[in-house]
Amino acid sequence: MISVEDLSREFDELGIEPNTEVLSKCIEIAGEHNLQDAVEFVEMWMAFSISCLGGAEPTVATLMEFERKEIVSKKVLQKGSSRNQSDSTTRPGGDLLKIYSGSTEKPTEKILDAYSCYSPQVEAKTRPGGVEVNFSPASYSPLTSSKEKSSDEKSGKIVYTFGSAQLLQSLVWESQATGEKILVQQIPLNIQDQLLEPTERYMYDGITEKSLIAGERLDDIASGICNRAFTEDAEEPVATGDTPYEGEEYEKLSQVNYHSQAVVRCVGRVSHDNTASRLSATSSILIGNAKDKMSSVTLNFNRIPSVSLFPGQIVLAKGMNPTGKTLFLQQLFSERYWDPPRAPSHLKTPLKLLIAAGPFAENNDLVCEPLQDLMTQCKQLKPDILILIGPFVDVKNSCIADGLLAESFDSFFQKLINGVVSSIGDHVEILVVASQRDAHSSMVYPTHPYSIPGKPKNVTFLPDPCFVEISGVKFGITATDIVNHIAEEEFTKNAAMDKVKRIVGYLINQKSFYPLDPPAHGVNMDSRLAHRFARIRSVPHVFILPSEMKCFVRDVGGCLAINPGRVVETTRGTFARLVVSPPSDGATPKDFMACRIMRV
């Protein structure tokens, strides 16, 4: 149940101070419609207010209108659409989409064709009304259906809003082109200042190298956690035991299996024992990193009120270990000191971005009609920067899996990029982020940047993950769904913090775009490449984290975390619009950054 305190806090973050009567009405609406999340409720209200009321603050009357139009009507439409699940093979008006797509029919072959290569005849692809589709591949099997979008999800509808009410009301979202080229610079993620190149070799990390990398990473992260923990927790004394570490920050540390009746502190990596498939209150262990051997100890959480852990997390544990086999925890430390990003003082004019993540085609076709719809939106919204995040040629697409594409993956990808440029012109800077789900990628993580012959001058290909600076604003971007991967593996006990903020905090405190270890199924982790090209050296102004989870925008300690959603979802997909304005002194993200997540 949503509390008054939660609602007040969320409204306060947006610069809104509702009175008691308004808060009571909010609680009444939330209880009647079983809305459990204060963040979601406030963001639903802000999206409605911006779309229908010009950003007005809530009153009892406008809340009743919000309930009627945004909550009740949507439930009615969803019930109606559930009774009509069958997709029509024609659009309203009866026009067929003459396309090739994911049918299971096989091409008819003549007898003589059995002795030669089959050459598909590529027909022209058109949309209803004779509009040409720019992104259609050559394929072996035609299909004449197009998924009809549900009637309650209008193109361009705002579903999520971030920013102060004052900023949202005064903002001009469309780009005012000045003719000046926007500087885009990729920032290295390692101290050697090296970038991941398409020619970088992969899967050459042996067992010994993996072990050395894991030990080096543990020492690095543990050092930062200890610096903060020993400053904030000054209790004396503690048993030290034999420690493999050196330096002042490790003087009070013991090995994880050091048994003592006194309180001990030890650092290690969280994992689960070999009797379980995931973390739990009974299966969690802490693995240390001794010089000559690795040791582990079972974790007991009975004496701590709350905890949140995930596999691979490096922590400092404090507790008693009377037998050397079980550590009875009293405290867990997992945070380090980190500097929030400084406001981009070099930004002189507002920076307008459109951010979209694939897949860009329905699972049973390759026409990429949703991408065509996105380009239509892009021409209307006129951003300075378009960020497209893979997958583009998705290996999970049934047409790709069944081998129905009658051209190479690279050729189809090149057609997509050229189609994007021809759709919106060369005045928009386009950043293309790789994904290991792409059929033409290296299929490892980190994923190498792409390249195509005759690359358009306004297109920049980036690896996954990457760190980019645009006009002084720093972006950390990944195509891999680390948020959902951690959410599925995380173990929590009475965790009070918002889940998204907690997971983004993991990335920052663990200094990694992918700290989960072992990685999720389907993530082909290269330890050597990840150690060099997937670390977080500094906190960006904006994290772009596409996820299967519901779209979100969160301020995490001065860093804006955005999940734009997917262009293709079960209903209409979503994309994000972001405007970064020149900040004033002492400004917080909500004061100079505004974000809207909209339907494609």
Side-chain angles (χ1 to χ4, degrees):
M1 183 66 180
I2 297 177
S3 67
V4 174
E5 291 77 12
D6 291 340
L7 278 174
S8 298
R9 182 176 63 253
E10 296 303 326
F11 276 122
D12 183 63
E13 287 188 2
L14 297 174
I16 300 174
E17 298 181 2
N19 57 37
T20 304
E21 189 178 8
V22 168
L23 289 174
S24 299
K25 187 62 179 177
C26 291
I27 296 295
E28 178 186 335
I29 294 173
E32 184 173 346
H33 299 284
N34 196 29
L35 301 177
Q36 304 290 332
D37 189 348
V39 174
E40 181 179 356
F41 183 90
V42 172
E43 293 300 341
M44 286 174 61
W45 160 256
M46 286 302 298
F48 171 77
S49 176
I50 295 297
S51 300
C52 303
L53 306 175
E57 294 193 4
T59 64
V60 173
T62 55
L63 283 170
M64 292 174 65
E65 183 181 359
F66 162 69
E67 179 185 18
R68 184 176 69 257
K69 292 183 177 180
E70 190 69 16
I71 302 177
V72 176
S73 62
K74 182 174 291 189
K75 286 185 176 181
V76 172
L77 286 170
Q78 287 175 345
K79 289 179 181 178
S81 63
S82 65
R83 292 192 295 266
N84 298 279
Q85 288 293 324
S86 58
D87 288 336
S88 173
T89 57
T90 62
R91 286 199 167 196
D95 292 328
L96 291 176
L97 276 180
K98 194 173 185 182
I99 60 177
Y100 285 103
S101 191
S103 170
T104 56
E105 300 175 7
K106 297 297 181 181
T108 304
E109 298 183 13
K110 297 180 180 180
I111 296 298
L112 292 178
D113 288 338
Y115 298 93
S116 62
C117 295
Y118 177 75
S119 299
Q121 294 183 354
V122 182
E123 299 183 20
K125 287 83 175 174
T126 59
R127 290 159 64 103
V131 180
E132 183 179 354
V133 177
N134 292 334
F135 309 105
S136 303
S139 62
Y140 286 113
S141 186
L143 184 72
T144 56
S145 66
S146 177
K147 182 178 288 186
E148 185 177 349
K149 304 297 188 296
S150 59
S151 58
D152 66 319
E153 300 295 353
K154 297 179 180 179
S155 177
K157 179 181 179 181
I158 300 172
V159 298
Y160 205 104
T161 303
F162 175 88
S164 67
Q166 181 180 0
L167 177 63
L168 292 170
Q169 291 173 4
S170 63
L171 208 56
V172 177
W173 288 86
E174 288 72 21
S175 173
Q176 308 296 321
T178 61
E180 297 183 4
K181 182 176 175 60
I182 296 176
L183 180 62
V184 178
Q185 180 184 5
Q186 185 181 352
I187 300 176
L189 295 173
N190 51 63
I191 59 176
Q192 292 80 24
D193 290 335
Q194 298 173 335
L195 299 175
L196 179 58
E197 301 291 345
T199 55
E200 186 77 37
R201 69 178 190 173
Y202 53 91
M203 292 304 174
Y204 276 83
D205 49 341
I207 296 296
T208 301
E209 186 175 10
K210 287 183 179 181
S211 178
L212 292 174
I213 289 173
E216 182 180 338
R217 180 172 177 272
L218 190 150
D219 290 347
D220 178 36
I221 306 301
S223 177
I225 295 174
C226 289
N227 286 339
R228 176 167 180 170
F230 292 162
T231 301
E232 297 178 354
D233 180 37
E235 293 183 12
E236 299 288 348
V238 292
T240 57
D242 296 327
T243 173
Y245 303 96
E246 298 176 356
E248 292 183 7
E249 66 267 30
Y250 293 117
E251 287 181 357
K252 300 178 182 179
L253 293 182
S254 64
Q255 294 186 17
V256 295
N257 62 349
Y258 177 74
H259 59 89
S260 171
Q261 299 295 328
V263 175
V264 297
R265 291 190 182 100
C266 53
V267 297
R269 178 171 58 86
V270 176
S271 185
H272 55 77
D273 59 33
N274 55 13
T275 64
S277 59
R278 57 172 299 147
L279 292 183
S280 69
T282 58
S283 66
S284 300
I285 62 174
L286 190 67
I287 302 175
N289 184 33
K291 281 184 178 179
D292 54 345
K293 65 177 182 178
M294 299 181 69
S295 52
S296 64
V297 65
T298 300
L299 298 178
N300 184 292
F301 303 102
N302 292 338
R303 299 181 183 179
I304 56 177
S306 63
V307 66
S308 57
L309 297 171
F310 67 91
Q313 184 178 11
I314 295 170
V315 298
L316 168 64
K318 175 183 176 182
M320 298 180 63
N321 189 359
T323 64
K325 297 181 179 180
T326 301
L327 180 61
F328 293 87
L329 292 173
Q330 295 180 358
Q331 277 183 290
L332 266 179
F333 303 90
S334 61
E335 297 182 352
R336 61 182 180 87
Y337 289 123
W338 52 273
D339 297 323
R342 295 181 179 179
S345 57
H346 298 298
L347 186 66
K348 303 303 180 184
T349 58
L351 180 66
K352 318 284 176 75
L353 303 97
L354 191 151
I355 306 164
F360 297 97
E362 303 288 352
N363 183 57
N364 63 344
D365 73 44
L366 288 172
V367 176
C368 295
E369 189 175 352
L371 181 57
Q372 186 83 42
D373 295 336
L374 179 68
M375 292 302 101
T376 301
Q377 292 267 14
C378 190
K379 285 188 286 187
Q380 295 174 353
L381 302 176
K382 301 176 183 178
D384 300 312
I385 302 288
L386 171 63
I387 300 179
L388 296 177
I389 304 170
F392 301 90
V393 189
D394 191 4
V395 294
K396 295 185 178 181
N397 188 294
S398 61
C399 299
I400 297 293
D402 294 340
L404 298 181
L405 190 65
E407 58 183 317
S408 70
F409 300 138
D410 292 300
S411 173
F412 179 37
F413 174 70
Q414 183 176 356
K415 181 182 294 184
L416 292 180
I417 299 302
N418 290 333
V420 168
V421 176
S422 64
S423 295
I424 63 175
D426 58 3
H427 61 283
V428 178
E429 291 292 325
I430 304 171
L431 309 185
V432 179
V433 181
S435 168
Q436 63 173 319
R437 274 177 55 180
D438 274 317
H440 65 296
S441 73
S442 56
M443 294 190 179
V444 298
Y445 183 88
T447 310
H448 302 65
Y450 301 140
S451 61
I452 61 173
K455 181 181 76 69
K457 62 181 180 180
N458 62 321
V459 174
T460 301
F461 292 113
L462 298 169
D464 173 29
C466 59
F467 206 95
V468 181
E469 183 173 341
I470 306 174
S471 297
V473 184
K474 297 178 180 179
F475 294 81
I477 311 173
T478 181
T480 305
D481 192 356
I482 180 58
V483 176
N484 193 46
H485 291 174
I486 289 182
E488 291 179 344
E489 297 294 333
E490 184 186 31
F491 163 67
T492 62
K493 172 187 173 183
N494 300 328
M497 184 184 294
D498 175 82
K499 178 185 289 188
V500 171
K501 290 186 177 182
R502 186 170 65 242
I503 293 177
V504 175
Y506 290 153
L507 306 187
I508 295 173
N509 285 300
Q510 299 290 303
K511 299 170 66 173
S512 172
F513 279 97
Y514 201 95
L516 186 64
D517 186 19
H521 177 72
V523 177
N524 305 311
M525 177 72 71
D526 185 302
S527 300
R528 184 177 61 87
L529 292 184
H531 188 59
R532 295 168 59 200
F533 303 113
R535 302 170 72 178
I536 298 176
R537 296 176 61 186
S538 61
V539 181
H541 296 100
V542 181
F543 266 122
I544 302 178
L545 306 168
S547 175
E548 299 297 334
M549 295 176 65
K550 188 175 180 179
C551 55
F552 58 76
V553 185
R554 296 284 195 279
D555 177 1
V556 184
C559 170
L560 196 65
I562 301 175
N563 169 23
R566 305 283 185 183
V567 169
V568 174
E569 294 179 347
T570 53
T571 58
R572 276 190 185 272
T574 57
F575 65 94
R577 297 177 68 189
L578 175 66
V579 178
V580 185
S581 301
S584 57
D585 293 338
T588 61
K590 71 176 182 180
D591 297 324
F592 68 93
M593 287 194 280
C595 185
R596 287 176 176 172
I597 296 180
M598 306 170 65
R599 292 292 178 192
V600 176

